[in-house]
Amino acid sequence: MPPKRHLDTREGSHESSPKSLKKSFTACQRCHAHKIKCSGDQPCAKCQQTGFADQCRYANRDRKLKVNESYIDQLVSENQRLEEQLNLARNAQDEVGGGQPRPASNVDDSDTSTRNPLIGERAWFHPYDPSAPPIYIGEAACTAFATRFRQFLTGDKNATNHLTRTQYLTESALAAANSRPVTWPSLPQARLLVKIAFNHVGRVYHLLPRKANLEKLEEIYRTANFDCPLSTCKFFALFAFGEVYSIRSIPSSSPMVPGTPYFAKAMTLIQFVPERANLSYLENLILLSLFSYFLNRRHSAYSLIGMAMRLGLTIGLNHNVPESQLIDPVERQHRVRLWWTIYMFDRMWGSKMGLPMQVLDEDIHVDMPSTVYPQTEHDAQFLDTKYSIAGINLAQIAGEIVAKIYSRKTYHETFLQRVQKLLKSLKNWVETLPEHVKLKSQDDGPNQKHIVSLHLSFNQCVILATRPTLLHALILQTKTAASNERPAESISQAVLTLAEACIHAARHTHSLIVEEWVNGSLSMFGYFYAHYLFSSALVLAMSSLLAAKNKHDIGGFETSIEILRSMSDNGNLSAKEFYVNLEQVKLCLDSQSIQDANNGSQQRRQNNEANMLMPDRPAMPPMVVPASMQNQSMLPAPSGSQGLSLSSNTFAGFTTEMAFLEPTMQDFLAQSDMDLGLLNPVDMSTSDPGTLWTWPTPSLPTE
């Protein structure tokens, strides 16, 4: 007898004869039960005749089909191939600095274990003017975080509004500054101002080739050629930097930030957008974007660097130019470094406002900075190469933090898993830092300012990545204290480790800035040091509430207020904004302390009444412990903190890498993704709508 033929379902071809493929019907449940013939219709003929058409049901059956073994092998092979392609795509996305999420069609958006505890369902806006569009408030902004903290302290999320940002140079003030005549200074004064600018900002970022532009300045005065718009814009911006770094307070004759007239005049020279941009035009955009921060014009700074980014892409700055087309090594290196300065500003500016980066790392194909030889100390055109590369790598991590922690993108990884990856990158950054770029100990003398600036940026990245967890831990502690539970039973070690890392970074930042302030080397009108001090002060205030052993942190918080007040009184616009925010935080802390003290007094009276009713019992000790400051040490005492005095520099013993040396941090970084995934359902629960996971984002005042 010949073997039976199999059905080949791949191309709809059937090898069996038509007679052997008669369609077989399955009887309905009623006909099957009565063992009668069923017509197979819906409803069947018997059910219709007997009046049971509405009860005619058929059982679901999975028919078995015989197919060729080669067809099964083909399906398995194709499935494996698709899985490999999907894994390659996921790995490629993980390597991209833009933090692009994986396709997640099966991810539940309501699973808040994958989101930052500060991020709500909707973006945060404030309709500050009925005739103008609302202002977007980025959750990564420090002022936004200050508002979240105040909302926690007051317990009223809707009544505690975000503070309006009014401390910046307005367009009308800028026009008034431009209405005054601004002329080129004398040559000796111009030399001093340009050298001051190079000495301060030129040692932190690559803005211009130093030697070439000093020679250009001499040529302009020698030939009396003051009419070139690009040169005038460039040197007026440098004059503005020279003035803002050389003047300690605003003179009464000119109540505006030093250098503003030069800046205002320079802005009028770049109002047009060239069809074919050159490097000089990009240099001017970079200079003006950076100086905008001295006027607390953050949105303008972001827009200017965005214009530089787009124009840089049009002339291919993100690609290497063939050496045959650009032979001069200095010009080639200037082109490379100019791109990376734009890249750094794009990442850093966005991280300070919670705005996305404007170009992905996968679209960048230009080399990292390199050293041009021969080079001597006096005619060096560029910054130290290793220092520049360290700054670029740190800016890349900052961009990833905003994308992976503060965005509303959908990710497969949990929130803690993403934080762990970011902290691993930061730890690797510290461990691979060249020796001459590391901070020196106090015994080795003062550190150079550009080195301090780099490490302050690193600390800010750590704070930015971990402070949502710190605030979440504070909220959980308050709830467990109210329910008389032990914090250790309700908050995991991973969350406490992240909170501790945030506090370490804040203490180190505070220590570095106070040292600069005491030494008189802190720029009175600078934005970034004021911003870092404000960011660290918020963390110190939270630390003082988190554990009784951290109560000395409130001294650092108060010191920060005093420094910002002094900078504000001398005319620093950004310090004015941060000072107002910290004053409001202090009012909330004081109000909570009074309320907690009253609650403690009431508890003492109840205890005394109970003791009077039961005289045989020993008297209960007085309990004046605020609910939010329970004498339960959630965090271990910081390493090197023994004997810390509340002097001008409270946290002098802290270092950049201290947070990563803690055993709990090393254990956290060594945990697998599976272990971290199991932590989220407990620590990041959304069962209580009062948590920050479901924090509402109503229309609040502008950032």
Side-chain angles (χ1 to χ4, degrees):
M1 179 181 294
K4 295 182 179 180
R5 296 182 178 181
H6 297 283
L7 293 176
D8 191 347
T9 61
R10 280 174 290 179
E11 297 181 1
S13 62
H14 300 276
E15 298 181 10
S16 301
S17 62
K19 292 183 179 180
S20 64
L21 292 177
K22 289 183 179 179
K23 186 177 181 180
S24 62
F25 297 102
T26 302
C28 69
Q29 295 176 354
R30 190 173 182 278
C31 292
H32 180 74
H34 289 78
K35 297 182 179 180
I36 58 179
K37 188 176 181 180
C38 182
S39 64
D41 299 328
Q42 179 63 45
C44 69
K46 293 294 183 182
C47 289
Q48 287 180 342
Q49 292 175 1
T50 57
F52 292 98
D54 57 337
Q55 298 181 12
C56 185
R57 302 285 188 275
Y58 290 87
N60 294 326
R61 292 190 176 183
D62 186 12
R63 295 197 311 162
K64 295 182 179 179
L65 299 177
K66 295 181 179 180
V67 297
N68 292 333
E69 184 179 359
S70 60
Y71 179 55
I72 300 295
D73 294 339
Q74 178 185 354
L75 292 178
V76 173
S77 176
E78 184 176 358
N79 184 51
Q80 292 177 347
R81 180 178 59 82
L82 292 175
E83 285 185 354
E84 291 175 357
Q85 290 180 353
L86 181 60
N87 290 332
L88 289 175
R90 288 176 176 174
N91 294 334
Q93 288 178 349
D94 288 341
E95 295 174 359
V96 173
Q100 294 298 307
R102 301 171 182 172
S105 58
N106 60 340
V107 175
D108 185 7
D109 290 339
S110 63
D111 182 11
T112 52
S113 67
T114 63
R115 287 193 278 110
N116 181 335
L118 296 183
I119 301 297
E121 296 294 338
R122 294 172 296 174
W124 192 354
F125 287 95
H126 164 59
Y128 70 98
D129 187 342
S131 63
I135 291 294
Y136 169 72
I137 303 173
E139 295 284 1
C142 291
T143 49
F145 185 76
T147 300
R148 296 300 194 196
F149 182 37
R150 288 192 296 109
Q151 289 173 340
F152 159 73
L153 292 174
T154 60
D156 193 341
K157 298 179 286 294
N158 295 321
T160 307
N161 287 338
H162 191 71
L163 298 179
T164 305
R165 180 172 68 101
T166 59
Q167 304 85 356
Y168 63 92
L169 191 73
T170 62
E171 279 69 29
S172 58
L174 198 61
N178 189 47
S179 63
R180 303 173 185 176
V182 182
T183 60
W184 287 74
S186 64
L187 178 57
Q189 184 183 4
R191 289 181 184 139
L192 288 175
L193 293 176
V194 171
K195 288 180 179 179
I196 291 172
F198 277 125
N199 186 54
H200 286 271
V201 295
R203 300 184 68 185
V204 181
Y205 312 106
H206 173 78
L207 305 173
L208 308 163
R210 181 187 182 101
K211 180 183 177 183
N213 282 275
L214 289 175
E215 293 175 350
K216 180 65 176 179
L217 179 67
E218 298 290 338
E219 178 187 346
I220 290 175
Y221 277 88
R222 184 175 64 254
T223 60
N225 183 15
F226 301 105
D227 298 328
C228 177
L230 286 179
S231 297
T232 302
C233 180
K234 178 189 302 183
F235 285 104
F236 273 33
L238 291 173
F239 296 157
F241 280 110
E243 282 198 353
V244 82
Y245 276 108
S246 59
I247 298 176
R248 298 289 296 176
S249 62
I250 294 179
S252 57
S253 59
S254 178
M256 61 176 58
V257 175
T260 300
Y262 285 122
F263 171 82
K265 181 63 177 178
M267 284 291 293
T268 64
L269 301 175
I270 62 160
Q271 291 183 351
F272 66 93
V273 179
E275 177 61 24
R276 295 189 180 276
N278 54 30
L279 296 187
S280 295
Y281 191 86
L282 298 182
E283 292 168 356
N284 293 340
L285 290 175
I286 293 173
L287 289 169
L288 296 176
S289 174
L290 182 58
F291 193 85
S292 295
Y293 270 98
F294 287 83
L295 307 178
N296 206 22
R297 293 175 58 88
R298 301 197 289 267
H299 294 166
S300 298
Y302 184 75
S303 300
L304 287 168
I305 206 60
M307 186 188 302
M309 173 72 75
R310 298 302 179 193
L311 291 175
L313 292 174
T314 63
I315 61 176
L317 281 186
N318 57 322
H319 294 271
N320 290 316
V321 176
E323 190 172 353
S324 59
Q325 293 182 286
L326 187 60
I327 301 176
D328 189 343
V330 174
E331 292 184 9
R332 289 175 57 83
Q333 190 59 206
H334 174 50
R335 178 186 171 94
V336 168
R337 296 194 179 219
L338 199 65
W339 165 259
W340 286 118
T341 299
I342 297 173
Y343 173 90
M344 292 171 60
F345 284 8
D346 172 63
R347 263 56 175 176
M348 301 304 289
W349 289 189
S351 69
K352 298 185 187 325
M353 294 184 288
L355 297 175
M357 51 193 142
Q358 301 177 68
V359 66
L360 301 178
D361 288 343
E362 60 187 355
D363 295 324
I364 301 174
H365 309 283
V366 67
D367 294 336
M368 279 288 191
S370 59
T371 303
V372 177
Y373 296 100
Q375 176 175 287
T376 64
E377 180 180 356
H378 298 289
D379 64 358
Q381 295 272 34
F382 306 112
L383 291 172
D384 173 67
T385 300
K386 293 183 178 179
Y387 174 87
S388 298
I389 294 175
I392 294 168
N393 292 334
L394 189 59
Q396 180 185 23
I397 299 175
E400 291 179 351
I401 291 174
V402 174
K404 296 182 178 180
I405 301 297
Y406 292 94
S407 72
R408 289 176 172 79
K409 298 174 183 177
T410 303
Y411 290 91
H412 273 286
E413 300 96 343
T414 64
F415 178 73
L416 287 183
Q417 288 171 354
R418 298 199 303 276
V419 173
Q420 184 200 52
K421 290 182 179 179
L422 292 168
L423 290 180
K424 284 182 177 180
S425 298
L426 290 169
K427 181 175 182 288
N428 180 69
W429 186 89
V430 171
E431 293 176 344
T432 59
L433 206 59
E435 194 64 31
H436 70 280
V437 184
K438 295 181 180 180
L439 287 173
K440 298 184 296 184
S441 64
Q442 293 183 344
D443 297 336
D444 297 331
N447 289 283
Q448 293 181 306
K449 196 168 184 177
H450 65 288
I451 301 295
V452 174
S453 177
L454 183 65
H455 287 263
L456 287 174
S457 297
F458 169 82
N459 288 339
Q460 182 61 22
C461 287
V462 176
I463 292 173
L464 201 62
T466 56
R467 69 184 179 190
T469 312
L470 172 62
L471 182 53
H472 185 70
L474 190 59
I475 294 173
L476 288 180
Q477 177 189 270
T478 303
K479 293 179 179 178
T480 55
S483 59
N484 295 323
E485 297 179 9
R486 297 183 60 186
E489 296 175 354
S490 59
I491 306 177
S492 71
Q493 183 59 51
V495 172
L496 298 181
T497 297
L498 295 179
E500 184 180 0
C502 186
I503 295 170
H504 273 303
R507 288 170 176 165
H508 188 222
T509 290
H510 181 87
S511 172
L512 292 174
I513 294 178
V514 168
E515 184 178 355
E516 293 287 313
W517 177 263
V518 172
N519 295 336
S521 55
L522 187 66
S523 174
M524 188 59 67
F525 298 98
Y527 171 87
F528 300 102
Y529 276 47
H531 171 251
Y532 296 144
L533 186 63
F534 171 63
S535 175
S536 64
L538 292 173
V539 175
L540 294 179
M542 296 170 63
S543 173
S544 67
L545 299 177
L546 192 61
K549 290 186 178 181
N550 297 344
K551 61 183 179 181
H552 60 273
D553 286 335
I554 198 66
F557 172 77
E558 294 172 348
T559 300
S560 301
I561 293 180
E562 180 60 26
I563 294 177
L564 288 174
R565 182 199 62 78
S566 180
M567 297 176 72
S568 174
D569 291 344
N570 283 279
N572 188 309
L573 295 175
S574 57
K576 286 184 180 180
E577 176 191 0
F578 300 143
Y579 172 70
V580 170
N581 275 268
L582 286 189
E583 278 290 294
Q584 291 299 313
V585 171
K586 188 175 185 300
L587 289 176
C588 294
L589 289 171
D590 294 342
S591 176
Q592 187 193 47
S593 298
I594 295 173
Q595 181 181 357
D596 291 341
N598 293 335
N599 294 338
S601 299
Q602 182 178 1
Q603 182 65 39
R604 286 201 309 273
R605 287 195 299 269
Q606 293 175 355
N607 293 339
N608 292 334
E609 292 174 359
N611 292 335
M612 292 177 63
L613 294 175
M614 295 178 290
D616 294 337
R617 282 193 169 190
M620 296 181 66
M623 297 178 62
V624 195
V625 182
S628 60
M629 297 178 63
Q630 297 294 319
N631 191 14
Q632 297 173 341
S633 178
M634 294 179 57
L635 299 178
S639 304
S641 63
Q642 304 298 327
L644 285 176
S645 61
L646 294 177
S647 60
S648 60
N649 198 346
T650 309
F651 313 112
F654 287 84
T655 61
T656 304
E657 62 277 357
M658 179 177 291
F660 297 99
L661 297 178
E662 295 291 337
T664 54
M665 174 58 75
Q666 295 178 2
D667 292 342
F668 171 75
L669 297 179
Q671 291 192 59
S672 65
D673 288 349
M674 180 176 297
D675 294 334
L676 283 176
L678 295 176
L679 296 173
N680 284 277
V682 178
D683 293 323
M684 305 300 183
S685 173
T686 59
S687 58
D688 186 347
T691 65
L692 282 177
W693 292 97
T694 55
W695 201 286
T697 55
S699 296
L700 297 177
T702 175
E703 56 80 35

